[in-house]
Amino acid sequence: MIVRKIALNGFRNYEWETAEFDPGTNVIYGQNAQGKTNLLESVYMLSTGRSFRTRFDKELVGFGYSSSEILAEVSSHEREQTIRLLLQPGQTKKIQVNGVRKTAGELAEVVNTVLFSPDDLNLIKEGAAQRRRLMDQAISQIRPRYAEILAEFNRLYEHKTRILKDWREKPSLLDTLDEFSDGMCRASAQLIRYRASFAARLDEAAAPIHREFSGEGEELSLRYTTVSTVTDPCASAKEIYYEICEHQEKHRQAELDSGQCLTGAHKDDLDISINGRAARSYASQGQTRTAALSVKLAEREIFLAETGEYPILLLDDVLSELDMRRQEFVLNRIGGGQTLITCCEDEGISRRTGGKVLFVENGRIRG
Ligand code: ATP
Ligand code: MG
């Protein structure tokens, strides 16, 4: 998948600007606060209809504008296609592909992106929520059904948490507790199957990438962990469901006492290790950054296997965190597919790439 051209009208700090991209590597450079991440954000929106920085469309609309428009020409599934997004705060956003109205979920059938931002550098060391988000975002793009189950799971989780917090004041809430617990067990069973199979593929794809990227033959491995009673997370949803119910029964009282949901896919994680040791505890700064990027590049391989095309890789401001050799890998050796990389001007990075260079200054793009 390739974004050939994008036009932004009243989007963030872009009044009316267009950019053309190379099908390979594109380095977007400029000083701080000029619009580099905003440009990446607009490309990301082509794949999800949403920003990775805010849930509120009004923040995306340029100051002084009442609406914001993103128009793009993309090449996907061997076709040239056009995407139009119109954001009007207070109204549902309008999404069109080749002039036909689409939902945000349907955009994933046209464009996929893999984003790596400075926040993702914490993927290895931070809490499990980051790693679950990685799985959720990726699987949702590949399997729209997953996004539906996840939304249902989150709805049940919120309800159940409210019951567990408030039942002492309102004992009647307990009438529906078991129903919510059962719904969460069912939804968890399905999420777990998807996540386990995704994690296994990610592990397989990430290991060789990390070996090359680290240059030191480091062995990266990823292992999915879930509810302790689940013996095989790749078993049928029915089998997993029974095993989760077992956990639920054992923890019912503890949930009431603690006021927290203790059973379900909301506690899943990915155990990441380098050379057999837990990366979370032992990896150096550089190792954790490299491992995080390897995981993202592995995600790209899964998209390729699923859709027959590489997704667009968006790398926001990550180069400065890497040493020269690792920078060189990112700039020139990520094969296949299109990459958009943002960086700050003073690092000379734009001279070290064979790709296209775009210069961003105060909401204008040159290159
Ligand atoms: P850095 O190198 O610091 O990451 P950047 O070039 O990535 O900088 P952006 O995040 O793209 O910077 O933001 C560029 C500018 O856009 C900022 O000054 C920001 O305040 C401004 N901006 C953000 N939202 C809007 C908006 N809705 N309307 C107008 N300007 C906005
Ligand atoms: Mg930025």
Side-chain angles (χ1 to χ4, degrees), residues 263-278:
T263 299
H266 58 292
K267 301 183 83 87
D268 288 1
D269 199 355
L270 271 177
D271 276 351
I272 304 182
S273 62
I274 298 174
N275 294 339
R277 292 191 199 282

PDB file of all heavy atoms in Angstrom, residues 263-278:
ATOM      1  N   THR A 263     -10.869 -11.663  36.469  1.00  0.00           N
ATOM      2  CA  THR A 263     -10.833 -12.698  35.434  1.00  0.00           C
ATOM      3  C   THR A 263     -11.141 -12.091  34.074  1.00  0.00           C
ATOM      4  O   THR A 263     -12.161 -11.421  33.924  1.00  0.00           O
ATOM      5  CB  THR A 263     -11.906 -13.778  35.742  1.00  0.00           C
ATOM      6  OG1 THR A 263     -11.601 -14.367  36.986  1.00  0.00           O
ATOM      7  CG2 THR A 263     -11.938 -14.845  34.659  1.00  0.00           C
ATOM      8  N   GLY A 264     -10.275 -12.312  33.120  1.00  0.00           N
ATOM      9  CA  GLY A 264     -10.597 -11.842  31.768  1.00  0.00           C
ATOM     10  C   GLY A 264      -9.373 -11.436  30.975  1.00  0.00           C
ATOM     11  O   GLY A 264      -8.248 -11.355  31.518  1.00  0.00           O
ATOM     12  N   ALA A 265      -9.613 -11.150  29.713  1.00  0.00           N
ATOM     13  CA  ALA A 265      -8.515 -10.854  28.785  1.00  0.00           C
ATOM     14  C   ALA A 265      -7.889  -9.479  29.034  1.00  0.00           C
ATOM     15  O   ALA A 265      -6.887  -9.139  28.395  1.00  0.00           O
ATOM     16  CB  ALA A 265      -9.038 -10.923  27.350  1.00  0.00           C
ATOM     17  N   HIS A 266      -8.461  -8.699  29.954  1.00  0.00           N
ATOM     18  CA  HIS A 266      -7.894  -7.373  30.254  1.00  0.00           C
ATOM     19  C   HIS A 266      -6.598  -7.474  31.034  1.00  0.00           C
ATOM     20  O   HIS A 266      -5.958  -6.457  31.299  1.00  0.00           O
ATOM     21  CB  HIS A 266      -8.904  -6.520  31.023  1.00  0.00           C
ATOM     22  CG  HIS A 266      -9.336  -7.155  32.314  1.00  0.00           C
ATOM     23  ND1 HIS A 266     -10.102  -8.296  32.353  1.00  0.00           N
ATOM     24  CD2 HIS A 266      -9.089  -6.828  33.596  1.00  0.00           C
ATOM     25  CE1 HIS A 266     -10.306  -8.628  33.609  1.00  0.00           C
ATOM     26  NE2 HIS A 266      -9.700  -7.751  34.387  1.00  0.00           N
ATOM     27  N   LYS A 267      -6.229  -8.708  31.440  1.00  0.00           N
ATOM     28  CA  LYS A 267      -4.966  -8.855  32.158  1.00  0.00           C
ATOM     29  C   LYS A 267      -3.890  -9.538  31.309  1.00  0.00           C
ATOM     30  O   LYS A 267      -2.811  -9.846  31.798  1.00  0.00           O
ATOM     31  CB  LYS A 267      -5.200  -9.647  33.457  1.00  0.00           C
ATOM     32  CG  LYS A 267      -6.212  -8.957  34.355  1.00  0.00           C
ATOM     33  CD  LYS A 267      -6.407  -9.665  35.654  1.00  0.00           C
ATOM     34  CE  LYS A 267      -5.375  -9.313  36.668  1.00  0.00           C
ATOM     35  NZ  LYS A 267      -5.571  -8.200  37.493  1.00  0.00           N
ATOM     36  N   ASP A 268      -4.192  -9.754  30.049  1.00  0.00           N
ATOM     37  CA  ASP A 268      -3.228 -10.428  29.154  1.00  0.00           C
ATOM     38  C   ASP A 268      -1.943  -9.619  28.998  1.00  0.00           C
ATOM     39  O   ASP A 268      -1.923  -8.410  29.218  1.00  0.00           O
ATOM     40  CB  ASP A 268      -3.836 -10.593  27.747  1.00  0.00           C
ATOM     41  CG  ASP A 268      -4.928 -11.642  27.724  1.00  0.00           C
ATOM     42  OD1 ASP A 268      -5.218 -12.210  28.771  1.00  0.00           O
ATOM     43  OD2 ASP A 268      -5.482 -11.866  26.633  1.00  0.00           O
ATOM     44  N   ASP A 269      -0.914 -10.317  28.576  1.00  0.00           N
ATOM     45  CA  ASP A 269       0.372  -9.636  28.347  1.00  0.00           C
ATOM     46  C   ASP A 269       1.176 -10.416  27.313  1.00  0.00           C
ATOM     47  O   ASP A 269       0.803 -11.526  26.905  1.00  0.00           O
ATOM     48  CB  ASP A 269       1.157  -9.554  29.667  1.00  0.00           C
ATOM     49  CG  ASP A 269       2.250  -8.484  29.638  1.00  0.00           C
ATOM     50  OD1 ASP A 269       2.468  -7.871  28.568  1.00  0.00           O
ATOM     51  OD2 ASP A 269       2.880  -8.265  30.680  1.00  0.00           O
ATOM     52  N   LEU A 270       2.248  -9.796  26.895  1.00  0.00           N
ATOM     53  CA  LEU A 270       3.229 -10.463  26.037  1.00  0.00           C
ATOM     54  C   LEU A 270       4.531 -10.442  26.812  1.00  0.00           C
ATOM     55  O   LEU A 270       5.042  -9.370  27.138  1.00  0.00           O
ATOM     56  CB  LEU A 270       3.444  -9.644  24.766  1.00  0.00           C
ATOM     57  CG  LEU A 270       2.595  -9.860  23.534  1.00  0.00           C
ATOM     58  CD1 LEU A 270       2.986  -8.851  22.474  1.00  0.00           C
ATOM     59  CD2 LEU A 270       2.731 -11.271  23.004  1.00  0.00           C
ATOM     60  N   ASP A 271       5.052 -11.620  27.135  1.00  0.00           N
ATOM     61  CA  ASP A 271       6.354 -11.660  27.823  1.00  0.00           C
ATOM     62  C   ASP A 271       7.426 -11.543  26.758  1.00  0.00           C
ATOM     63  O   ASP A 271       7.494 -12.370  25.852  1.00  0.00           O
ATOM     64  CB  ASP A 271       6.530 -13.002  28.545  1.00  0.00           C
ATOM     65  CG  ASP A 271       5.855 -12.979  29.905  1.00  0.00           C
ATOM     66  OD1 ASP A 271       5.418 -11.890  30.323  1.00  0.00           O
ATOM     67  OD2 ASP A 271       5.759 -14.059  30.521  1.00  0.00           O
ATOM     68  N   ILE A 272       8.253 -10.532  26.877  1.00  0.00           N
ATOM     69  CA  ILE A 272       9.280 -10.319  25.863  1.00  0.00           C
ATOM     70  C   ILE A 272      10.643 -10.592  26.480  1.00  0.00           C
ATOM     71  O   ILE A 272      10.962 -10.059  27.548  1.00  0.00           O
ATOM     72  CB  ILE A 272       9.203  -8.883  25.308  1.00  0.00           C
ATOM     73  CG1 ILE A 272       7.780  -8.642  24.759  1.00  0.00           C
ATOM     74  CG2 ILE A 272      10.259  -8.646  24.232  1.00  0.00           C
ATOM     75  CD1 ILE A 272       7.548  -7.300  24.141  1.00  0.00           C
ATOM     76  N   SER A 273      11.418 -11.439  25.818  1.00  0.00           N
ATOM     77  CA  SER A 273      12.753 -11.694  26.368  1.00  0.00           C
ATOM     78  C   SER A 273      13.817 -11.564  25.291  1.00  0.00           C
ATOM     79  O   SER A 273      13.545 -11.741  24.098  1.00  0.00           O
ATOM     80  CB  SER A 273      12.816 -13.066  27.031  1.00  0.00           C
ATOM     81  OG  SER A 273      12.577 -14.062  26.080  1.00  0.00           O
ATOM     82  N   ILE A 274      15.008 -11.192  25.729  1.00  0.00           N
ATOM     83  CA  ILE A 274      16.161 -11.104  24.830  1.00  0.00           C
ATOM     84  C   ILE A 274      17.216 -12.064  25.371  1.00  0.00           C
ATOM     85  O   ILE A 274      17.568 -11.996  26.553  1.00  0.00           O
ATOM     86  CB  ILE A 274      16.713  -9.657  24.762  1.00  0.00           C
ATOM     87  CG1 ILE A 274      15.641  -8.715  24.201  1.00  0.00           C
ATOM     88  CG2 ILE A 274      17.984  -9.601  23.901  1.00  0.00           C
ATOM     89  CD1 ILE A 274      16.002  -7.252  24.225  1.00  0.00           C
ATOM     90  N   ASN A 275      17.665 -12.932  24.494  1.00  0.00           N
ATOM     91  CA  ASN A 275      18.615 -13.979  24.891  1.00  0.00           C
ATOM     92  C   ASN A 275      18.151 -14.715  26.144  1.00  0.00           C
ATOM     93  O   ASN A 275      18.929 -14.967  27.061  1.00  0.00           O
ATOM     94  CB  ASN A 275      20.016 -13.387  25.106  1.00  0.00           C
ATOM     95  CG  ASN A 275      20.605 -12.877  23.799  1.00  0.00           C
ATOM     96  OD1 ASN A 275      20.178 -13.289  22.714  1.00  0.00           O
ATOM     97  ND2 ASN A 275      21.576 -11.988  23.878  1.00  0.00           N
ATOM     98  N   GLY A 276      16.869 -14.991  26.181  1.00  0.00           N
ATOM     99  CA  GLY A 276      16.318 -15.809  27.260  1.00  0.00           C
ATOM    100  C   GLY A 276      16.057 -15.080  28.571  1.00  0.00           C
ATOM    101  O   GLY A 276      15.552 -15.679  29.514  1.00  0.00           O
ATOM    102  N   ARG A 277      16.376 -13.790  28.627  1.00  0.00           N
ATOM    103  CA  ARG A 277      16.119 -13.066  29.884  1.00  0.00           C
ATOM    104  C   ARG A 277      15.023 -12.023  29.672  1.00  0.00           C
ATOM    105  O   ARG A 277      14.960 -11.411  28.615  1.00  0.00           O
ATOM    106  CB  ARG A 277      17.379 -12.335  30.351  1.00  0.00           C
ATOM    107  CG  ARG A 277      18.460 -13.280  30.787  1.00  0.00           C
ATOM    108  CD  ARG A 277      19.568 -12.509  31.495  1.00  0.00           C
ATOM    109  NE  ARG A 277      20.786 -13.287  31.521  1.00  0.00           N
ATOM    110  CZ  ARG A 277      20.999 -14.289  32.373  1.00  0.00           C
ATOM    111  NH1 ARG A 277      20.090 -14.603  33.271  1.00  0.00           N
ATOM    112  NH2 ARG A 277      22.130 -14.963  32.327  1.00  0.00           N
ATOM    113  N   ALA A 278      14.214 -11.819  30.713  1.00  0.00           N
ATOM    114  CA  ALA A 278      13.093 -10.886  30.611  1.00  0.00           C
ATOM    115  C   ALA A 278      13.601  -9.496  30.223  1.00  0.00           C
ATOM    116  O   ALA A 278      14.381  -8.882  30.963  1.00  0.00           O
ATOM    117  CB  ALA A 278      12.357 -10.829  31.937  1.00  0.00           C
TER     118      ALA A 278
END
